[in-house]
Amino acid sequence: MSVENQLIPTEALREKLRNYSRNLRDIKRNSENDSLRFGLGEIQSKIIELDNLTEKDVQGLANRIKRRKHASAEDMYRLSHAFLQGVENIRAFSMIPGAIQTLVKELTGSDAEQQFHASETFCNLSLGEAPVCEKIATMAGSYLVTYLDCTEERIKRTCLWTLANIIATGGKGAHVLISMEIVPKLMSIYLQDCNEDDYREDAAIVLDVIGSSESKLLRPSDLECLFLKFHMKNPTSPGAEYHLRIIFNSGIIAPGVVLSEEQVNYLMNFSVANLHNTENFEGIPNRMRILYAIRILANLLALDSIYFNILIEKCTTWNTNLVRLINRLFGFKNQQLSAEVLWLVKNIEVCQSDSFPASAFLNKLVFS
């Protein structure tokens, strides 16, 4: 598997979302709230029932909430659990006309608990295939995006996960959400300084999925938003491991783009810090930090060799030098990573000068 394929592939993201929901439910199973919700003194039998919901059960629930034009907390809890068990249950629910509209009604009602249960149900429903996600985006997308501005922690976070699901699935559903000005809202969440509820990593995941999409979802206005604000991200804040990847995949660092001095200094400092401070090339966060720092640096040097002086300056700031930094990367002994490093070395070599002779630099490198 290539380095690139190990970095938040869509299926890995979706599995992370499934596990998140399962873990949340495991906690709920043992809580007193479930006993009160179902009106049962003992919920063990209900747990067994939830683990064995069939397509027929889902169709029955869908028809019932459609007929009543209302979904109770228990209805939505059962549906949420059924959706986790397989795409067949999701598909069965989506085929019942009016069922999704009933969930939308609960999502947009005045009862905060019902809103949360509906948002959670949509989150698990969005684990379905593209046609299902398109229906969610069309019928409930505007509300999911609007709830990004709300202060209710559970609803806001669940909506972020739902949006990530839909966009990761691709298709028309992703384009529908992008048209709802989701990128500026996500950037606002991602860049903020938080002392209380923190959604920055969740927003980073959604932005990462958008930027990594093969469908090129970002519109000119979205790219402008990213370009004008990317250097406002605190490199030590939650979600920062995604930042250089988001910038790189968006394509905003490209020939013809004029970067401000502040932006160049920011990118150079962020990249050198990642390479200097990341202890190994293990795990997705570290791989993102290192790989995209290399790519950003290589792109900057390819844009203008004058940026090389800033790179040398940033190395000094972090009490290192280029030879030490590059040899550190080779020392991770990852063949595909080393190939990326060689691309950076080639761009460094082009920037040679009297004060930095390329031959002396190359002779000090320990290639692997």
Side-chain angles (χ1 to χ4, degrees):
M1 182 181 290
S2 70
V3 170
E4 188 68 31
N5 288 338
Q6 295 179 49
L7 300 177
I8 315 289
T10 298
E11 281 308 309
L13 170 65
R14 292 166 73 84
E15 187 57 30
K16 182 177 181 180
L17 296 170
R18 292 187 184 96
N19 289 335
Y20 172 84
S21 295
R22 289 192 188 104
N23 290 339
L24 197 61
R25 295 205 184 307
D26 286 341
I27 293 171
K28 287 183 179 179
R29 285 178 173 182
N30 298 317
S31 71
E32 187 174 290
N33 288 338
D34 279 335
S35 298
L36 295 173
R37 176 187 297 167
F38 293 121
L40 302 172
E42 188 66 48
I43 63 170
Q44 200 64 36
S45 60
K46 184 64 67 176
I47 292 172
I48 295 173
E49 178 187 340
L50 287 172
D51 283 335
N52 293 281
L53 289 168
T54 65
E55 292 177 57
K56 186 175 180 180
D57 294 326
V58 171
Q59 289 170 341
L61 277 168
N63 278 310
R64 184 170 71 182
I65 67 171
K66 169 192 171 181
R67 184 173 62 254
R68 294 179 176 177
K69 296 182 180 180
H70 167 68
S72 67
E74 181 178 350
D75 291 333
M76 289 185 280
Y77 186 82
R78 287 162 60 84
L79 285 169
S80 293
H81 203 92
F83 297 155
L84 284 178
Q85 292 177 33
V87 70
E88 297 81 9
N89 285 346
I90 293 174
R91 194 180 297 123
F93 179 83
S94 69
M95 296 299 290
I96 305 298
I100 292 179
Q101 286 90 331
T102 302
L103 293 182
V104 172
K105 181 180 177 182
E106 301 299 338
L107 182 68
T108 58
S110 57
D111 188 315
E113 279 300 307
Q114 286 292 92
Q115 289 175 352
F116 168 67
H117 295 313
S119 70
E120 191 177 46
T121 306
F122 273 121
C123 187
N124 291 347
L125 183 65
S126 68
L127 290 168
E129 297 162 327
V132 176
C133 287
E134 181 181 332
K135 287 182 179 180
I136 298 172
T138 302
M139 298 179 193
S142 61
Y143 305 110
L144 296 171
V145 173
T146 298
Y147 280 139
L148 296 185
D149 296 322
C150 80
T151 56
E152 168 53 49
E153 186 265 342
R154 297 180 303 167
I155 295 176
K156 186 169 184 173
R157 197 177 304 281
T158 306
C159 286
L160 281 163
W161 284 92
T162 306
L163 295 168
N165 267 340
I166 296 171
I167 295 168
T169 304
K172 186 178 178 181
H175 288 279
V176 168
L177 293 180
I178 292 296
S179 71
M180 295 175 178
E181 302 296 326
I182 187 176
V183 171
K185 284 182 177 287
L186 292 169
M187 284 295 288
S188 178
I189 296 170
Y190 182 51
L191 298 176
Q192 65 188 0
D193 289 324
C194 300
N195 295 318
E196 298 179 4
D197 296 328
D198 200 324
Y199 312 93
R200 285 173 288 184
E201 184 177 2
D202 303 282
I205 290 174
V206 188
L207 286 167
D208 181 55
V209 174
I210 291 171
S212 304
S213 170
E214 295 180 359
S215 301
K216 304 298 180 185
L217 294 172
L218 291 167
R219 306 166 303 167
S221 60
D222 298 324
L223 291 170
E224 182 180 13
C225 177
L226 287 169
F227 182 77
L228 293 176
K229 296 183 177 181
F230 74 77
H231 57 290
M232 300 176 186
K233 175 66 177 175
N234 183 338
T236 64
S237 64
E241 66 269 27
Y242 294 88
H243 197 46
L244 295 182
R245 173 176 158 105
I246 291 168
I247 293 169
F248 183 86
N249 285 336
S250 70
I252 58 178
I253 310 300
V257 174
V258 179
L259 296 166
S260 69
E261 181 179 351
E262 181 183 10
Q263 289 173 321
V264 174
N265 274 283
Y266 174 88
L267 289 171
M268 285 288 187
N269 187 68
F270 201 136
S271 299
V272 172
N274 277 5
L275 299 183
H276 178 66
N277 294 328
T278 307
E279 295 184 356
N280 56 61
F281 195 59
E282 299 174 4
I284 287 174
N286 284 353
R287 287 174 179 266
M288 284 194 291
R289 291 186 186 100
I290 292 173
L291 182 62
Y292 287 93
I294 293 169
R295 292 183 176 181
I296 290 290
L297 289 177
N299 272 16
L300 287 172
L301 296 179
L303 285 178
D304 197 330
S305 60
I306 198 172
Y307 295 153
F308 178 73
N309 294 329
I310 302 175
L311 174 57
I312 296 296
E313 175 189 319
K314 298 306 176 186
C315 287
T316 302
T317 299
W318 287 99
N319 196 29
T320 188
N321 58 57
L322 272 180
V323 171
R324 195 181 307 158
L325 207 63
I326 299 300
N327 281 338
R328 174 184 175 82
L329 298 174
F330 282 134
F332 292 142
K333 297 188 182 302
N334 180 286
Q335 185 176 0
Q336 292 164 332
L337 172 62
S338 294
E340 297 275 351
V341 178
L342 286 172
W343 175 42
L344 174 59
V345 168
K346 180 180 178 182
N347 286 8
I348 292 173
E349 184 182 6
V350 173
C351 297
Q352 67 173 317
S353 62
D354 292 339
S355 60
F356 190 87
S359 57
F361 168 67
L362 293 173
N363 287 336
K364 294 178 182 178
L365 297 182
V366 182
F367 297 97
S368 64

